[in-house]
Amino acid sequence: MLQNLTGWHALIVLAVILLFFGAAKLPSLARSVGQSARILKDEVSGDVDTGADARADTRADTRADTPAA
């Protein structure tokens, strides 16, 4: 289905988007898409870091609960 797309198809899609959203809304639309992509990227990379941080926090809490001799 996507193998037959050409540059003309992309221009037609861009023209329809321009007509649908209007020229004034396109910069804010692009900005919000960029922010959403950045947030998604941070959340995906943050999941790996969160696991390590949670383990470190658990170890710190365990040490804080034990009475000092």
Side-chain angles (χ1 to χ4, degrees), residues 6 12 14-16 22-23 32 35 40-41 51 64 68:
T6 63
I12 291 171
L14 288 174
V16 169
S32 66
Q35 287 175 346
L40 179 64
K41 185 179 107 179

Side-chain angles (χ1 to χ4, degrees), residues 54-67:
R55 286 190 299 268
D57 289 342
T58 304
R59 280 186 249 130
D61 290 342
T62 306
R63 281 185 247 135
D65 291 338
T66 56

Side-chain angles (χ1 to χ4, degrees), residues 2 4 10 12 17 23 25 43-44 48 52 55-56 69:
L2 295 176
N4 295 332
I12 291 171
I17 290 172
K25 299 223 183 222
E43 290 296 323
V44 168
V48 174
R55 286 190 299 268

Side-chain angles (χ1 to χ4, degrees), residues 3-4 7 9 12-14 18-21 23 27-30 32 36-38 44 47 49 52 56 61 63 68-69:
Q3 294 98 2
N4 295 332
H9 292 108
I12 291 171
V13 169
L14 288 174
L18 182 63
L19 288 173
F20 186 72
F21 289 107
S28 63
L29 178 68
S32 66
S36 298
R38 196 173 311 119
V44 168
D47 287 342
D49 295 337
D61 290 342
R63 281 185 247 135

